[in-house]
Structure formats: structure tokens, C-alpha cells
Amino acid sequence: MAAEKWILTVTARTPTNIAVIKYWGKRDEDLILPINDSISVTLDPDHLCTTTSVAVSPAFDRDRMWLNGKEVSLSGKRYQNCLRELRSRASDYEDENKGIKISSEDWQKLHVHIVSYNNFPTAAGLASSAAGLACLVFALAKLMNVKEDYSKLSAIARQGSGSACRSLYGGFVKWIMGKEESGHDSIAVQLADEKHWDDLVIIIAVV
């Protein structure tokens, strides 16, 4: 890790999803493992989405997060589970032009700053946590050069918010409940992409 005070940033945007077949409870609260499969439809990110920017720098002395302009704590188990899983999978990163060199071991010591914004109301039944945690995991995975596919990332996002695993894909998505106690097989898979049912329209009425 070079000594210069550099900063590295990544921005991502992730849509929310609405369940068409819901999951009815959890068999493991800590890992957020459901008692049944579920299926959702992902909404258009141009209308309902979370935009998250993540940054890393040797100048940061602790992990920090701002949600919709207000700082929130990252000490909760769900955030910590996601951060731990991503840091354990981080890869070497190098940008010769900017003089940035980060080894996989450096990610355990470096701190991140996270700025997240929802363009729709929270706690309004529109699954803001699903979009938020999916975006957080996706953005951090890009920042940390995590080389996992979407299904593996969905298992990480699930530990932050159950339905977040489904927001990593467009179209119709199935969250497989899985059978393993570790939760490694409780992942999301895409059943049909966003072009499959092109004339489907979802209307959200503000009353």
C-alpha cells in the first residue's frame, strides 16, 4: 500500500424489487435464511433506485456511512456481516497512473466511507433496504476488486437485507431458500430478464 494520501471511489445504482411470491419468515435470523423460496419483480432503476458512492483512503480513520444526507451507524450486525464478507474476498488492486497499490491484505486495515441516497421514501413498503443493501454490496465489491459472480454477491447482500439478494438482477428473480446451515446455497437467480415481459407496467400510487 503506497504511502500517498490517495482516495479511490466507485458509484453504483441499484433498483428496488417487489415480491410477487413472498417469503414467510426466517429459519435463521442472523444469516437471514428464509423458510421458503420467493420470487420478485425488479423495478426500473430510472424510477426507483438507490445510488451509492463508496470510497477508500489511507486518510480515513474509521468506516462511516451517510444515508439520505444523515450519518448512520455501521456498527449493526448486518452491515458488519457484509463488510466482513467483502473484505475477506477482496483482491489486489493497482492503478499505476494514480500511484495506488492495494494488496488483498490491506483491505482488512483500510476504512471506507459510504454515501447512499434513495430516490423514493424509506419505510413505505417499497423495499428501500433491499435496494440499499444490494447497492452497498455491489459498489463495495467493485471497489475492493471482489471477483465473485452475482449469485455469490447475492448471498452477501442477503445477510444485510433478505430481499436485497434479489435486487442484483433485473426482471423476475427467485431467492432460493437453500438447505445448508451456512447459507451458502441461499442465493438469488434470475428467472427471466427485464425484456421478457416488455409490456408489464407497475403503478405506484402516491395518496
Side-chain angles (χ1 to χ4, degrees):
M1 184 168 58
E4 293 88 334
K5 297 299 182 185
W6 47 261
I7 184 168
L8 181 66
T9 63
V10 168
T11 297
R13 187 178 67 157
T14 305
T16 188
N17 70 78
I18 300 296
V20 290
I21 298 177
K22 296 180 71 67
Y23 79 93
W24 295 97
K26 309 179 187 80
R27 67 181 192 273
D28 187 310
E29 287 283 347
D30 290 336
L31 294 175
I32 312 184
L33 300 176
I35 61 172
N36 61 284
D37 295 345
S38 60
I39 296 175
S40 67
V41 59
T42 303
L43 304 190
D44 189 337
D46 288 338
H47 296 288
L48 296 179
C49 72
T50 296
T51 302
T52 300
S53 295
V54 294
V56 63
S57 171
F60 298 160
D61 60 357
R62 59 193 170 97
D63 295 333
R64 299 178 72 184
M65 179 175 178
W66 293 262
L67 176 60
N68 296 328
K70 295 182 179 180
E71 187 164 6
V72 297
S73 173
L74 279 171
S75 62
K77 181 180 286 186
R78 293 185 175 191
Y79 284 126
Q80 289 301 312
N81 284 348
C82 292
L83 286 167
R84 185 189 66 252
E85 293 282 348
L86 288 164
R87 282 181 168 126
S88 71
R89 291 166 169 77
S91 299
D92 297 346
Y93 175 89
E94 184 170 6
D95 186 330
E96 291 184 359
N97 293 329
K98 294 181 179 178
I100 301 173
K101 188 174 183 180
I102 308 171
S103 73
S104 57
E105 292 80 15
D106 288 334
W107 290 109
Q108 300 292 336
K109 304 187 289 281
L110 286 165
H111 296 287
V112 294
H113 284 185
I114 302 157
V115 178
S116 191
Y117 174 77
N118 297 323
N119 71 350
F120 59 97
T122 57
L126 296 173
S128 60
S129 63
L133 267 297
C135 200
L136 175 70
V137 167
F138 183 80
L140 285 173
K142 290 293 183 185
L143 181 74
M144 296 180 180
N145 202 21
V146 174
K147 301 183 185 301
E148 302 280 20
D149 60 21
Y150 279 19
S151 67
K152 296 282 180 59
L153 291 180
S154 76
I156 299 173
R158 185 205 73 237
Q159 296 179 55
S161 171
S163 52
C165 67
R166 300 186 306 233
S167 273
L168 288 169
Y169 295 96
F172 288 87
V173 184
K174 180 179 182 179
W175 175 9
I176 300 170
M177 62 176 283
K179 296 180 180 178
E180 299 291 333
E181 288 186 11
S182 66
H184 291 313
D185 58 347
S186 183
I187 60 172
V189 295
Q190 188 182 59
L191 299 177
D193 68 19
E194 55 274 14
K195 298 184 179 69
H196 175 74
W197 197 351
D198 209 28
D199 55 354
L200 174 67
V201 175
I202 295 173
I203 296 175
I204 297 170
V206 179
V207 296

